[in-house]
Amino acid sequence: MNLQALWTVLLLIVSNIFMTFAWYGQLKLSEMHLTDGWPLIAIILLSWSVALLEYSAMVPANRIGSDINGGPFNLMQLKVIQEVISLTVFTVICSLVFKNQPIQWNHIAAFGCLVAAVFLVFMK
């Protein structure tokens, strides 16, 4: 794996960690009663502030990784890689943070299909 590919994947992982917390972290805060009484707009603004960090990693990842800018991946490959990373990060965070949401066999089967999609998108 070349350096551009490695940076792309690492930045996509960081990006997806922030995005998972931007989208679902507010649910954990609610579960812990830390945001009880907060208006929805405050929750949205909190999530947007976390999502800004996500974009700060996602945009460079796509610029570094895209063959349009001399990177190793075409747009389809970038998107499929991002989706698999997204689900991997989500699964890990869900397992560690939301312990009342068990992973079931069909979740694993669906994830396997996505890994197969990565394989297929790199076929010539």
Side-chain angles (χ1 to χ4, degrees):
M1 182 180 291
N2 72 32
L3 198 54
Q4 285 179 302
L6 179 63
W7 273 111
T8 299
V9 170
L10 290 175
L11 285 167
L12 287 173
I13 290 169
V14 169
S15 167
N16 279 281
I17 289 169
F18 283 118
M19 191 47 107
T20 299
F21 281 109
W23 287 359
Y24 303 105
Q26 49 86 19
L27 295 174
K28 186 64 177 179
L29 293 175
S30 180
E31 180 181 82
M32 297 169 61
H33 303 287
L34 295 175
T35 54
D36 289 353
W38 284 33
L40 182 57
I41 190 67
I43 301 295
I44 291 168
L45 291 174
L46 175 64
S47 292
W48 275 357
S49 66
V50 176
L52 177 62
L53 298 171
E54 183 267 342
Y55 275 86
S56 296
M58 178 64 77
V59 171
N62 285 323
R63 291 188 65 82
I64 292 167
S66 172
D67 61 0
I68 294 169
N69 290 324
F73 306 118
N74 65 42
L75 291 177
M76 190 61 69
Q77 291 169 332
L78 270 173
K79 183 59 181 171
V80 173
I81 291 167
Q82 190 278 327
E83 291 299 331
V84 170
I85 289 171
S86 177
L87 285 174
T88 302
V89 167
F90 175 80
T91 301
V92 169
I93 290 173
C94 187
S95 297
L96 296 174
V97 177
F98 294 95
K99 296 183 191 301
N100 61 343
Q101 302 286 324
I103 298 171
Q104 299 172 342
W105 73 268
N106 57 322
H107 303 146
I108 295 167
F111 188 73
C113 290
L114 288 167
V115 171
V118 171
F119 173 76
L120 291 173
V121 81
F122 279 92
M123 287 181 67
K124 300 282 180 195

